[in-house]
Amino acid sequence: MRDLIVIGGGPAGTSAAITCARNGARVLLLERGRFPRHKVCGEFVSAESLDLLAGLLAPQDKPLLADAIRIPRARVFLDGRVLETTVDPPAASISRLNFDAALWASAEQCGVEARQQVVVRSISGSGPFLVETSVGQFKSRALVNASGRWSNLNRTSVDGQNSGVKWLGLKGHFAESSPSASVDLYFFQGGYCGVQPVNIIDGAEQSARVNACAMVCTDVASTLSEVFICHPALRERSRQWKPLSDPVSTSPLVFREPQPERDGILMAGDAAAFVDPFVGDGISLALRSGSLAAESLLPFFAGDVSPAEAARNYVSAYERRLAPVFRMSSKIRRMLSLPQIIRTPILALLEKSPAIAHYLVSRTR
Ligand SMILES: Cc1cc2nc3c(=O)[nH]c(=O)nc-3n(C[C@H](O)[C@H](O)[C@H](O)COP(=O)(O)OP(=O)(O)OC[C@H]3O[C@@H](n4cnc5c(N)ncnc54)[C@H](O)[C@@H]3O)c2cc1C
């Protein structure tokens, strides 16, 4: 019997596992994949979680954050206009190849029993929990489900059918000479593509490149090359690019209302809710919700509160500190999908008043 089983070794799962293990809990972390691996992601790590990330990384991986490229600017290319706003404090650009592997290593280093290539098939009980996996059964007093947006454990019968539009995520790394130190978002009918500079770190070697990551309707594009021709400025820019990684993709992208608790299980990261990727906050929300889940469970492990009370404390901290980001980002998403005739005056206003654009961005934080 462990104190805690965490399902999923992404930012949410490792954040929960590391925080609990450092406070003396016996933690089993289960991940179906294998690190390091590329993942569909814009790799924009917003400033809100950088202190938390610095605390979670093991000492040998601190340079991953300290040396990361900073992103002090965002440019939005839409309807022939370029809206520019500062990202203040600047975000960090960190490849998921390095990011997830470093957090996994940190979990191992602080005593988490971390097992890769183990698929969780089902969960029973409501505390203690029985977890059925590809390598056998495990029991725990508490459970954090951090298995991401679309795992076999999180799908419901209505998911994937909402609104009939099917979204796809695509990503690839490319060589570009002198990329701008900004996150550049190219919006077009049926999707958008973000581009920003990033480094891959391999021992003492650093390899510079740009990450191009798109969210697109499946009837508009199914490859990055098809995405690039959807926007004139992106088509022009991508002409000089040379691929440096195999492209990766993920689908479907399904947006859900936040649900931080289900049948006594604490849901963290994308498993609790998937925020629209263009706000660049998914990693930050994953790290923060993982650590909030852990902080809510620690008093239960110490015998100070019941499991139900721990879950209630998590839900209320989540609602207070994280849920507002989801509400604001869906408002912005609705604004961007307005008909062009309505969008044009709004964009003109934002172009003339960078303070309003900056305010909107800050409300998604
Ligand atoms: C197109 C796109 C662009 C994005 N761009 C950005 C960005 O620029 N900045 C940003 O902050 N966020 C971005 N995001 C969002 C970000 O990638 C996620 O919010 C983040 O990865 C969530 O972390 P997580 O730990 O909750 O889930 P994940 O990182 O998905 O980790 C979940 C883990 O659980 C494992 N798992 C799943 N099922 C099981 C199972 N049954 N058993 C065992 N293990 C299992 C998976 O293998 C996976 O490793 C983007 C997302 C998309 C789709």
Side-chain angles (χ1 to χ4, degrees), residues 53-134:
L53 175 62
L56 292 170
L57 289 171
Q60 76 276 7
D61 283 317
K62 304 265 185 218
L64 187 64
L65 177 56
D67 301 344
I69 294 175
R70 298 291 149 163
I71 306 288
R73 239 163 19 118
R75 297 189 297 187
V76 176
F77 297 74
L78 175 63
D79 298 342
R81 296 170 189 274
V82 185
L83 299 179
E84 203 165 322
T85 181
T86 51
V87 178
D88 182 23
S93 183
I94 308 177
S95 80
R96 292 297 293 269
L97 188 87
N98 292 137
F99 189 100
D100 292 32
L103 283 174
W104 185 266
S106 174
E108 286 178 321
Q109 211 166 310
C110 62
V112 172
E113 184 188 347
R115 300 183 60 170
Q116 306 191 58
Q117 296 181 299
V118 175
V119 183
V120 174
R121 295 195 173 127
S122 64
I123 302 161
S124 48
S126 51
F129 297 92
L130 181 67
V131 174
E132 189 84 45
T133 78
S134 51

Side-chain angles (χ1 to χ4, degrees), residues 190-267:
Y192 73 91
C193 181
V195 181
Q196 70 179 39
V198 71
N199 283 333
I200 291 284
I201 300 167
D202 185 5
E205 304 280 304
Q206 290 212 6
S207 157
R209 68 246 341 260
V210 289
N211 176 21
C213 183
M215 173 171 151
V216 64
C217 292
T218 48
D219 54 0
V220 169
S222 58
T223 64
L224 279 173
S225 329
E226 286 169 7
V227 165
F228 297 161
I229 55 173
C230 289
H231 192 288
L234 181 59
R235 183 194 303 139
E236 200 45 44
R237 179 173 181 178
S238 62
R239 270 190 219 284
Q240 50 144 321
W241 288 353
K242 301 265 177 314
L244 293 178
S245 72
D246 288 333
V248 280
S249 65
T250 183
S251 72
L253 307 182
V254 178
F255 301 101
R256 275 191 286 238
E257 286 296 304
Q259 189 188 19
E261 188 257 350
R262 211 171 58 199
D263 305 326
I265 301 168
L266 305 196
M267 311 292 287

Side-chain angles (χ1 to χ4, degrees), residues 8 11-12 31-32 39 42-44 96 120 147 151-152 270 282-283:
E31 165 57 46
R32 76 174 166 202
K39 184 171 176 83
E43 306 186 325
F44 176 97
R96 292 297 293 269
V120 174
S147 63
S151 98
N152 54 317
D270 283 2
I283 299 172

